[in-house]
Amino acid sequence: MSLLVEKTTSGREYKVKDLSQADFGRLELDLAEVEMPGLMACRAEFGPSQPFKGARITGSLHMTIQTAVLIETLTALGAEVRWCSCNIFSTQDHAAAAIARDSAAVFAWKGETLQEYWWCTERALDWGPGGGPDLIVDDGGDATLLIHEGVKAEELYEKTGELPDPASTDNAEFQIVLTIIRDGLKTDPSRYRKMKERLVGVSEETTTGVKRLYQMQANGTLLFPAINVNDSVTKSKFDNLYGCRHSLPDGLMRATDVMIAGKVAVVAGYGDVGKGCAAALKQAGARVIVTEIDPICALQALMEGLQVLTLEDVVSEADIFVTTTGNKDIIMVDHMKKMKNNAIVCNIGHFDNEIDMLGLENYPGVKRITIKPQTDRWVFPETNTGIIVLAEGRLMNLGCATGHPSFVMSCSFTNQVIAQLELWKEKNSGKYEKKVYVLPKHLDEKVAALHLGKLGAKLTKLSKDQADYISVPVEGPYKPAHYRY
Amino acid sequence: MSLLVEKTTSGREYKVKDLSQADFGRLELDLAEVEMPGLMACRAEFGPSQPFKGARITGSLHMTIQTAVLIETLTALGAEVRWCSCNIFSTQDHAAAAIARDSAAVFAWKGETLQEYWWCTERALDWGPGGGPDLIVDDGGDATLLIHEGVKAEELYEKTGELPDPASTDNAEFQIVLTIIRDGLKTDPSRYRKMKERLVGVSEETTTGVKRLYQMQANGTLLFPAINVNDSVTKSKFDNLYGCRHSLPDGLMRATDVMIAGKVAVVAGYGDVGKGCAAALKQAGARVIVTEIDPICALQALMEGLQVLTLEDVVSEADIFVTTTGNKDIIMVDHMKKMKNNAIVCNIGHFDNEIDMLGLENYPGVKRITIKPQTDRWVFPETNTGIIVLAEGRLMNLGCATGHPSFVMSCSFTNQVIAQLELWKEKNSGKYEKKVYVLPKHLDEKVAALHLGKLGAKLTKLSKDQADYISVPVEGPYKPAHYRY
Amino acid sequence: MSLLVEKTTSGREYKVKDLSQADFGRLELDLAEVEMPGLMACRAEFGPSQPFKGARITGSLHMTIQTAVLIETLTALGAEVRWCSCNIFSTQDHAAAAIARDSAAVFAWKGETLQEYWWCTERALDWGPGGGPDLIVDDGGDATLLIHEGVKAEELYEKTGELPDPASTDNAEFQIVLTIIRDGLKTDPSRYRKMKERLVGVSEETTTGVKRLYQMQANGTLLFPAINVNDSVTKSKFDNLYGCRHSLPDGLMRATDVMIAGKVAVVAGYGDVGKGCAAALKQAGARVIVTEIDPICALQALMEGLQVLTLEDVVSEADIFVTTTGNKDIIMVDHMKKMKNNAIVCNIGHFDNEIDMLGLENYPGVKRITIKPQTDRWVFPETNTGIIVLAEGRLMNLGCATGHPSFVMSCSFTNQVIAQLELWKEKNSGKYEKKVYVLPKHLDEKVAALHLGKLGAKLTKLSKDQADYISVPVEGPYKPAHYRY
Amino acid sequence: MSLLVEKTTSGREYKVKDLSQADFGRLELDLAEVEMPGLMACRAEFGPSQPFKGARITGSLHMTIQTAVLIETLTALGAEVRWCSCNIFSTQDHAAAAIARDSAAVFAWKGETLQEYWWCTERALDWGPGGGPDLIVDDGGDATLLIHEGVKAEELYEKTGELPDPASTDNAEFQIVLTIIRDGLKTDPSRYRKMKERLVGVSEETTTGVKRLYQMQANGTLLFPAINVNDSVTKSKFDNLYGCRHSLPDGLMRATDVMIAGKVAVVAGYGDVGKGCAAALKQAGARVIVTEIDPICALQALMEGLQVLTLEDVVSEADIFVTTTGNKDIIMVDHMKKMKNNAIVCNIGHFDNEIDMLGLENYPGVKRITIKPQTDRWVFPETNTGIIVLAEGRLMNLGCATGHPSFVMSCSFTNQVIAQLELWKEKNSGKYEKKVYVLPKHLDEKVAALHLGKLGAKLTKLSKDQADYISVPVEGPYKPAHYRY
């Protein structure tokens, strides 16, 4: 790959689609700031003391307008930042341009190839000779994964001289990861271990990334402390739920302009993301059918008047299919063959393995007609009917629209800032071991509180007497840890 | 104005943005056809007999993908067609390109100036020496207006030698209309009267255009028969209501990406359009406040849990303002000055006089910052805060998104096709006088019936005994004329 | 039948369940008055001038608390009133008691036999030697029917000496009507004709009664003017829709306590009543399936995300069945046999012929188990499973609960008062022929306006300029006659 | 108090309102069983092995039809049962009669005085000379409280000879508790300690009772193991949420018949109960305002389009007030004085201290007018306007209606049965210490699974490969402990 890093006049590195879109990006950044009261409050509260002075932060997180406000909050608090997207389609090029020009090193554009994607991730982690970042802001865990795989390979190589073998895996993307590491090993056989040494910790944004972290914690392979931001209530019960309720129909409309009312929609998975998607589709006038493995979530769907069936029951009847499971192999090519002409198939889960894109691409005689970028019609030879796949099976709300709106991302990202501050503050205290942590409830409540004023809300105050009666402090936190909201 | 008509290789005239987008347009047309069962059923039922053979049809109606399917339905039934948009922002350029290349003479592009707009309207009416069209498909009544004003001017000119004086009006757009007519008079002083002679009738699409027609009928100035398609149940209770429920949030999201949940939204007017808008905003999690003049509509809003107040009551508290009244002077610059920073102001009514754009533009010291086309921030000098105006106060769903989705437009346009067929069939029978007519209920029910299969619905059939009991024919129509649905 | 009319100390006739419930009735009447601003405004506006002075009004309309407020509004305006219920289960006995004691002659109790029902109707029409009432307030048209059938029989008898023959009909209820008329003929062979002579007109409340009137108008058999109150917008689009949205779940809950969430509910008919029922069930968490004969209403259901199928498709799958058609023979005993154990079957349409109660009662070996009054379980011998039928197939919201709430009935009944005032005012003017009329729109808007203040609403006022622009008077009416709301 | 225990012919003790209602109760029990698949599955699974053989179970839980199915499930599994209600208004007398006659010792009737209430509680705990129960099923914790207070008093008495002094507290109800204990001490100074000795544990049903248990655990005063059933997902996220969504409007309608549409409703507290109440009111057409202390819950309300204000902001504007906080002193008499005429005030939280009934009763000159049992109008002398208080400030859904419907209670009560089985099985194993436990997730999922079939749902099955990918067993549990649903 012959990608070249470019430099701003001030010497900061970047690689974006078109730096001339920076002005447009700045205008939208200005609008977004008004919608992100939590981040702006962080700037006001922490900006003066520059708590991130000296900290290098690498982010791997959709390079959108909202993320741009996050990045500029980190820099406003003193950090130096390098950034890449965590999805090949999720970058908003004008956002990347504005940040590249004004604030941080950015390596991201909409429509990266997988090779380019991992090149960008490498660049974001590459802080030059002095090792890697102090902190990582991760979404889905790809930056974390690269370091862990790198360290593993270096240790093996040191012991046995064995290099990673891309041919050892079927997974096309993991082949690229192994190639990168292999090639890097030749130049610097301790690069990832140096990174690991320097790293204070990671804060992880999403369900899928968190799942990976807990697996590593369970296996004892986690190399540095991690804060699970996803499971802050003000993240998972807001971003995942209300964000998707907003951005799923947005993506459907921008990609297909199809009328949702009157259609039959299948939502695979009824977690927070699935709940948001199902609510949006139902409210838009679709008849929604849920597929679930978990009887509790299934019963919740039923209580909302949704039908719970298996994909097989409805595959030939439904008009719209959305995967939200965080699992793999949900909609296979055999399902797709049975669908109605022009059925829409899309995924809003983090990874692109919910829909069997490989099976589709390899289906004998299948024809792909690109209506417009991220909207493809795939025609089966037997029936000459086709299905419409959005964003090549990747996150459709970021691929086909602009992701979640600013206000709800302000909740998520305020958690990120708080998590990063916490990791950095405690970098030498030993408070955080190589484990996964969630933020304490009083910080969660604080994030929420920062977002009430913008919406004109007024909180009731507990009297001391009332607080004692329910055994909580007057100023909170107000709920036990196990409370589900 | 030095616009030049272009010609296809086959010699058909057109003027569009970029003919090379025709392939893209065709792909989306293919998708839309699957979503427009009513129009496709018309092709199947009437295509073989070519009922429009010899008919010239001029259309003035948003040149979108859906309209393209309408146009190709008219041509499939034998008509020759010329077309323009009825709004400067509503054209989808790829749709215009596909039609221009493949099917009809099109004069339309997204972002016309007002001069260009009326030039396009003239072109669509200009069938060469043999006079004008046989039939008009109108939306908002601009094609009808131009002929009526033209005839009026020609008659005055013949009698008195007096030419229309553009300076006689304040209205910038009407000045253009008068200029066009004045300039035309010099070359052909009976052009519009010849048009009138040939014209069999018009079918009008929207509430606002229908209002104009009834006013002309009341004044005795209507020059040819008109069919009011808007008041087919399958138009006004579907397109106006469910179309806007879909396209209002679509426009808001594409223009601003703002989170609707948690916001305070004001919907001015609670007719069919207002009901659709309010439903969409409420379902997306906004708190909706309605303004109304009509106590019945106001009481309907209350029954749905919406607050009914005046604009003055809420102007400084709300985040989103939508006008749907069909009236004028709804949101004035004095209201806009009092709004919150970045309040969104938009109109989804047919004409652009609901929002006081003139007052805004002329406000001393106001600054307009174009975020992107059709999304402007206007900053007031006193407060240095701004409001965001969509589509320059024009139809925001067509200016900022792609208008209503295909399925609901199939209902509306099937009514158009049926109305055009009826006018043409009865052109010599004297059945239609210079009045405004609605389609009979059995055709309205037929339009609905054509759309049920696509959504998997199964109708119940009346027994003869049951039909007699409720005094209707077994095959319908099932309701009295005054039934409100 | 040996029913005896009783008399209050003041000499007014009555027959109610228990006069001692009058105090309880009065307390609820006091509450209801606060919820019925339209009726209270009528008292304030018209009470002083006593417009009904000298008028005798007979009412045949569910004798509920709300009706009691209507009756006392009529008496407050100077009328003398006699009343019966129009359904054997719809009387609230404490309401009847309060009215009987304090205000008018009442003949009504909850749980009348059909014989008793018609005896009550006769009593309400029986104003002694001087003939019948001047005005009728009718709901369903039974009082009107009795007079029309009576006149018909008297005329035949006079001509041919032939008496009505109850054996000439299968319909058990109509046998009773004929018996009453036959027996009456012997004592006074011109009783109903004298009534007809005196009668100024009727105002009719409900869809079903209105249908009868239009049939008589079409046949030329209507004997006196009728005002169709049902088709006032403030009646049919409020009482029918929002009233049922409230009272359907109320009836279900009181009768069965069954959880609605998660259930499959079938609503037969998607007119105003069906729309209200479907909305209520959907909101309570049921999955709702609609059956329809009318493709337009069916398409509306689909746009709201409801499935449209035939009863046969879903009869063995659904948990709750509600008929709202105004037609007959909707759910037959053969359907009921196929239903799930404890499926709930009920009717909210005016007449009790939507559900095949006769077929059920006559089913060989069927067993009826009365859980409590108006809640019966019918067990089929083949399966030993049963269905639960509410209110014996009659109006379940009045049979099992208390009907529609006061506020929405205030809209309906204010229309009634206005209609009665209009008929009485024009009694000698010849304005009203023997036809069916609706109230003019400005009165409809007035009814709505009277109900806004109670809900805290503020109307926007049109400027003269705006009113001219849309061609309406500043003070309304604001909509053309054909407007559908 | 001179209450007498009665005995059935078989010698079982009871005290109910009217044993002759047993047949009616049995009919409703039969219906309820069909709606309670979880309990019926327990009978099928565990009945044959009689796991509760020899176990004495005391229950203090609303003696409704649903509870009757629970009791008969316990007896079907071999238990001997004694029961009382946990609220003076919540008993359904026909349910109590059926159980008293057929299955267990019941001491409960609708409309107990507080003295009678605690007498009933004593009776339910009184198993005669052999000490108390083996197990307690508690709701709100009153049975548990009585034992804890009893033990405390006995220990003090033994040490110091000091008797409990009812005069030591202002709380009228606690005075009764102390009186009972004091009087009991004289006859048997170790009665409660003997109970404690025998007791294996308690399973607690509701948020409020659980809060008490955690406080005792924290203080180290908990005398026996407790299973927190409330925090099973299949309890708190179903019963609390969907149960209240059903029963709040049911209570409002039965008590007041007031139209909810168009009204302004205030819901104090937006926990699970508040969420259910707010959803019900919004769906019925009310405009809902929430009061909250917790910023996270407040932000959730905003995302659903609800306004968040303080009670003071809206007290004079709202029509309906519902408390759901689990805290005390929410609506004080000073608030009530400012309310609109006939504002409805009610509580759906467990205890009756959310509404300041004492302040209201003692307000100088206030007049109480009982419309009907559990519906009182309180008139203030200054304004002569009144408010309507439901169920004397106690649980309005049980006081004014019949509580939650069977299906959702089947979820809760299946958790109860499972908890009781677990405590009993492990009675000698030492598995449970004097702490509060929740049921393991796989049992929670099992409860949900038992309720899917009744609603026609079909679960998707994980493949082994998929299960491994998300690191869960194929057969569940599927979520981490901290998952919020």
Side-chain angles (χ1 to χ4, degrees), chain A residues 211 215 231 233 236-238 242 245 271-272 275 291-300 302-304 308-310 313 326-330 353 407 411 444-445 448-449 452 455 457-460 462 465-466 469-471 478-479 482-485, chain D residues 211 215 231 233 236-238 242 245 271-272 275 291-300 302-304 308-310 313 326-330 353 407 411 444-445 448-449 452 455 457-460 462 465-466 469-471 478-479 482-485:
Chain A
K211 203 174 57 190
Q215 286 170 343
D231 286 307
V233 187
S236 56
K237 296 291 266 189
F238 288 84
Y242 300 116
R245 191 179 68 175
D272 288 318
K275 285 176 173 76
T291 71
E292 249 300 345
I293 57 158
D294 182 326
I296 298 178
C297 296
L299 197 55
Q300 289 183 306
L302 291 161
M303 291 296 102
E304 298 297 343
V308 178
L309 293 170
T310 68
D313 295 321
N327 207 325
K328 63 177 186 176
D329 300 342
I330 305 305
N353 53 1
F407 187 82
C411 293
D444 218 346
E445 292 183 356
L452 297 179
L455 302 182
K458 287 165 68 178
L459 277 187
T460 300
L462 276 187
D465 195 34
Q466 288 176 316
Y469 179 70
I470 59 168
S471 307
Y478 300 107
K479 299 288 190 305
H482 66 263
Y483 189 72
R484 294 194 188 87
Y485 297 89
Chain D
K211 203 173 59 191
Q215 287 171 341
D231 286 306
V233 187
S236 56
K237 296 290 268 190
F238 288 84
Y242 300 115
R245 190 178 70 175
D272 288 319
K275 285 176 172 75
T291 71
E292 247 303 340
I293 58 159
D294 182 325
I296 298 178
C297 297
L299 196 55
Q300 290 183 306
L302 291 161
M303 291 296 102
E304 298 297 343
V308 177
L309 293 170
T310 67
D313 294 320
N327 207 325
K328 64 177 186 177
D329 299 342
I330 305 304
N353 52 1
F407 186 82
C411 292
D444 218 345
E445 293 182 356
L452 296 179
L455 302 182
K458 286 165 67 178
L459 276 187
T460 299
L462 276 186
D465 195 35
Q466 289 177 315
Y469 179 71
I470 59 167
S471 306
Y478 300 106
K479 299 288 191 303
H482 65 262
Y483 190 72
R484 294 195 186 88
Y485 297 88

Side-chain angles (χ1 to χ4, degrees), chain B residues 29 32 36 61-71 83-85 89-96 99 108 397-398 401-404 406 409 413:
Chain B
L29 263 159
M36 303 187 88
L61 197 159
H62 315 289
M63 183 58 249
T64 62
I65 289 291
Q66 290 73 35
T67 301
V69 183
L70 167 61
I71 292 171
W83 212 267
C84 62
S85 249
F89 291 135
S90 65
T91 297
Q92 290 179 269
D93 289 318
H94 61 319
I99 292 300
N397 56 341
L398 280 153
T402 62
H404 294 177
S406 300
M409 292 315 295
F413 287 165

Side-chain angles (χ1 to χ4, degrees), chain B residues 182-258:
Chain B
R182 186 194 59 193
D183 297 351
L185 261 178
K186 299 169 190 169
T187 22
D188 180 356
S190 60
R191 179 187 184 191
Y192 290 105
R193 283 177 291 179
K194 282 181 280 179
M195 273 192 207
K196 183 199 76 171
E197 286 315 307
R198 183 176 185 117
L199 249 178
V200 169
V202 62
S203 58
E204 166 59 47
E205 177 83 9
T206 200
T207 315
T208 300
V210 161
K211 203 174 60 190
R212 281 186 180 178
L213 290 171
Y214 281 113
Q215 286 171 344
M216 288 192 284
Q217 175 181 271
N219 301 339
T221 56
L222 187 62
L223 297 175
F224 36 79
I227 293 185
N228 163 2
V229 164
N230 179 69
D231 286 307
S232 290
V233 186
T234 48
K235 200 280 173 180
S236 56
K237 296 291 267 189
F238 287 84
D239 182 344
N240 303 17
L241 178 64
Y242 299 116
C244 291
R245 191 179 69 177
H246 178 105
S247 65
L248 175 84
D250 193 13
L252 281 172
M253 287 168 172
R254 295 199 207 202
T256 70
D257 286 319
V258 81

